[in-house]
Amino acid sequence: LNDTIETGLAKIDSVVVDKLSTVYQSAIRNHPDDFYLNLNYLKLLYNFDRYPEAVTQANILLNTLPYEYASYVNLGGMLLGNEQ
């Protein structure tokens, strides 16, 4: 199963990620307080090594639900993973 997932992810190029980003941004404009929508967009950015964008999105997520500890854990993990 892991091999299948990795093979599928390898087929996703930057054009696909750009298109997905456009869809997420549009959805977020319509539902800015949707925690899971923001979180999933953050995961997309992070998983495809778009660290500066992911950090920006993480800050937006932190402002959406400032008392949600998972947001801080995710941001800390990203910053450590990106050595910032």
Side-chain angles (χ1 to χ4, degrees):
L1 179 63
N2 286 337
D3 291 338
T4 304
I5 292 171
E6 288 181 24
T7 302
L9 289 174
K11 292 179 182 177
I12 298 175
D13 62 10
S14 64
V15 173
V16 173
V17 176
D18 288 341
K19 288 179 182 181
L20 289 170
S21 290
T22 300
V23 171
Y24 268 110
Q25 290 168 4
S26 176
I28 289 169
R29 272 193 301 278
N30 291 327
H31 305 283
D33 295 330
D34 186 319
F35 176 79
Y36 291 103
L37 184 59
N38 281 285
L39 178 63
N40 289 334
Y41 182 41
L42 167 62
K43 289 178 180 180
L44 171 77
L45 295 170
Y46 180 75
N47 288 333
F48 289 95
D49 301 329
R50 296 191 175 192
Y51 299 119
E53 295 169 85
V55 170
T56 299
Q57 185 60 29
N59 284 316
I60 292 169
L61 189 63
L62 292 174
N63 290 326
T64 302
L65 283 175
Y67 303 107
E68 177 60 49
Y69 77 92
S71 301
Y72 293 94
V73 171
N74 285 328
L75 178 58
M78 284 189 305
L79 292 173
L80 285 173
N82 196 29
E83 297 181 12
Q84 291 189 18

